[in-house]
Each structure stands twice: as structure tokens, then as C-alpha cells.
């Protein structure tokens, strides 16, 4: 029984370290990426819910398709999520996988 507990703690610790290193690597990669502004169209929106004890967290995602055909799914704040709809076209600014802004074309 004691060895099972040790293995369980080791697995949980390894998973924690893995996700921490992955988050730091993504953060660092985004910081080194250039800020890019390009014409893009909103092709999808979705929300994902996660629970932590009694708290529910909602993460909002918007998928953009650039003129070059690249699809980028970026995490956005709720106010941005509510202000865009599928089919909106405009100027997307991002830094790596970090969303900066989206300015809709009204033409």
C-alpha cells in the first residue's frame, strides 16, 4: 500500500511539472514572437467550462482564418467573444498564440 502511495505522488508531481514547463515554454515562445496584424475572418466560436471545487471557469475561444489559409484558435476575453460573430472579417492582431485585438471591417 505504501509503494502505491509513493507512485501516485510521483505521477501527480510529474504531471504538475510537465504542465508547468509547457505553460512557461508557451509563454516564452509568445514573448519572442513578433506582433502580427493580418486580415482574417471569424470561422468559429466556442466556450469550454472547467470546474475547480465549487467554482466554474469559462474559457472563450475564437477561430480565425487568415487570407493565407491558416486557422488560429485563440483564447479571448468574454467581451471580445460576445462582440464577434462567425463570418465577421477584419484585422486580427496576435503575438504567437496570444490574442491582442480584432478590428472588424464594416464594409
Amino acid at each position: 500500500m505504501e509503494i502505491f502511495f509513493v507512485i501516485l505522488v510521483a505521477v501527480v508531481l510529474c504531471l504538475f511539472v510537465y504542465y508547468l514547463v509547457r505553460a512557461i515554454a508557451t509563454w516564452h515562445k509568445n514573448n519572442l514572437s513578433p506582433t502580427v496584424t493580418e486580415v482574417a475572418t471569424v470561422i468559429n466560436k466556442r466556450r469550454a467550462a472547467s470546474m475547480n471545487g465549487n467554482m466554474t471557469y469559462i474559457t472563450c475561444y475564437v477561430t480565425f482564418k487568415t487570407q493565407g489559409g491558416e486557422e488560429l484558435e485563440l483564447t479571448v476575453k468574454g467581451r471580445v467573444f460576445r462582440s464577434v460573430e462567425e463570418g465577421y472579417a477584419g484585422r486580427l492582431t496576435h503575438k504567437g498564440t496570444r490574442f491582442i485585438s480584432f478590428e472588424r471591417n464594416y464594409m
Side-chain angles (χ1 to χ4, degrees):
M1 187 68 164
E2 186 177 304
I3 190 73
F4 176 75
F5 180 74
V6 170
I7 291 172
L8 182 63
V9 168
V11 167
V12 169
L13 185 60
C14 287
L15 285 173
F16 174 77
V17 169
Y18 169 77
Y19 283 108
L20 180 65
V21 168
R22 196 170 92 178
I24 290 170
T26 300
W27 174 81
H28 184 66
K29 181 179 174 233
N30 283 339
N31 285 343
L32 294 177
S33 296
T35 300
V36 177
T37 299
E38 54 193 330
V39 175
T41 303
V42 176
I43 60 170
N44 192 28
K45 298 170 45 166
R46 71 179 181 91
R47 291 183 181 141
S50 59
M51 301 228 7
N52 184 3
N54 293 334
M55 299 292 294
T56 301
Y57 298 95
I58 305 292
T59 306
C60 300
Y61 301 94
V62 176
T63 304
F64 299 92
K65 186 168 189 172
T66 67
Q67 278 188 327
E70 181 183 9
E71 292 185 11
L72 300 167
E73 183 177 63
L74 304 174
T75 304
V76 300
K77 300 217 183 264
R79 64 181 164 73
V80 173
F81 185 84
R82 290 185 299 274
S83 71
V84 299
E85 296 296 332
E86 288 183 25
Y88 282 9
R91 295 172 54 85
L92 169 66
T93 303
H94 62 94
K95 188 172 174 72
T97 60
R98 187 179 301 144
F99 175 84
I100 306 294
S101 68
F102 179 72
E103 299 171 18
R104 180 181 174 203
N105 293 339
Y106 289 98
M107 294 180 195

